[in-house]
Amino acid sequence: MFEAPSRWNPERNLWCEVLYRTVEDATKGPRHTPTAHDKVRIKESARDYLTRPSADLAMVCALAGVDMWAVIERVRKKVDRLAASG
């Protein structure tokens, strides 16, 4: 009957959003946190998660349709640039 285009995949879009939010947490910090300490802790946790290979990250990347090693490399570069800028 009706077939959605192959690029329209709700499950893939969901996992892409999970990665996007985690990258935001790693670079800008979470949007809503009760304390500054929590914001720093969440940011560090997200950076650790996205810059080290793990079975969980590999699964999320696979479900999002992206290469885990490319994610790790790009996030490492972004984090390094942020650290250098202050």
Side-chain angles (χ1 to χ4, degrees), residues 7-34:
R7 70 179 180 276
W8 189 80
N9 180 325
E11 292 84 11
R12 181 177 177 270
N13 293 345
L14 172 68
W15 290 107
C16 285
E17 185 68 19
V18 168
L19 278 175
Y20 175 78
R21 295 288 179 190
T22 308
V23 170
E24 268 197 346
D25 286 353
T27 56
K28 299 175 185 175
R31 293 180 182 181
H32 308 287
T33 55

Side-chain angles (χ1 to χ4, degrees), residues 22 26 39-50:
T22 308
K39 184 172 185 168
V40 169
R41 185 181 51 76
I42 291 168
K43 184 187 275 191
E44 288 174 356
S45 178
R47 287 179 177 185
D48 185 52
Y49 178 74
L50 291 170

Side-chain angles (χ1 to χ4, degrees), residues 21-80:
R21 295 288 179 190
T22 308
V23 170
E24 268 197 346
D25 286 353
T27 56
K28 299 175 185 175
R31 293 180 182 181
H32 308 287
T33 55
T35 67
H37 175 72
D38 289 339
K39 184 172 185 168
V40 169
R41 185 181 51 76
I42 291 168
K43 184 187 275 191
E44 288 174 356
S45 178
R47 287 179 177 185
D48 185 52
Y49 178 74
L50 291 170
T51 58
R52 297 182 184 183
S54 68
D56 187 66
L57 181 59
M59 180 188 68
V60 171
C61 289
L63 291 168
V66 298
D67 179 65
M68 177 184 71
W69 293 104
V71 170
I72 289 171
E73 181 180 335
R74 291 187 80 173
V75 172
R76 282 180 180 168
K77 287 180 182 177
K78 180 76 171 172
V79 168
D80 289 346

